[in-house]
Amino acid sequence: MGAIHGRLLTAWSTAGVLGPLIVNRVADAGERAGHSGPSLYTTSLTIMIGLLVVGFVANECIRRSTHASTRHRKGAPVSTSSRKPLMVFVWLWVAVPFAYGLYELARKATQLFTG
């Protein structure tokens, strides 16, 4: 649990500091180049998507190596079938608000860029 919490706090703090800096610098550079409106943010959103992909891949690599190292420990393996209903509930607990957030983001972005 501590490792997950540490990764989460590190990701949040990094995004909180670097996110606005990246967006503002790219938008300022686009403004100096003569761009205006929504086109100022296209490059910064592409950069953010790339960083998200890098973070996802890094997280997958860490999870796989951690899982592989716990598989070889002595003792009986922990059964995940008894925890499956809890895991489904927890994933739904996270996925439903996340899906709603993505829907709202798409809806508002559509209004912003088309209106």
Side-chain angles (χ1 to χ4, degrees):
M1 182 66 121
I4 294 170
H5 193 245
R7 278 189 259 166
L8 188 64
L9 289 177
T10 302
W12 280 348
S13 60
T14 303
V17 171
L18 293 181
L21 292 174
I22 291 171
V23 171
N24 288 335
R25 288 198 183 194
V26 170
D28 289 344
E31 202 170 52
R32 283 190 302 271
H35 298 107
S36 63
S39 65
L40 289 173
Y41 300 99
T42 303
T43 304
S44 59
L45 288 176
T46 304
I47 292 169
M48 294 299 166
I49 290 169
L51 291 173
L52 181 64
V53 169
V54 168
F56 179 77
V57 169
N59 193 41
E60 287 298 309
C61 291
I62 289 172
R63 186 179 335 160
R64 285 204 179 103
S65 74
T66 303
H67 179 60
S69 66
T70 58
R71 193 180 324 144
H72 298 293
R73 289 185 184 163
K74 292 182 179 179
V78 177
S79 171
T80 57
S81 62
S82 62
R83 297 185 315 191
K84 197 169 225 168
L86 177 63
M87 289 171 53
V88 169
F89 173 75
V90 170
W91 276 109
L92 285 175
W93 184 268
V94 171
V96 170
F98 183 73
Y100 176 73
L102 286 177
Y103 167 75
E104 285 296 312
L105 173 71
R107 187 177 67 80
K108 290 180 182 180
T110 302
Q111 290 174 352
L112 179 67
F113 293 118
T114 60

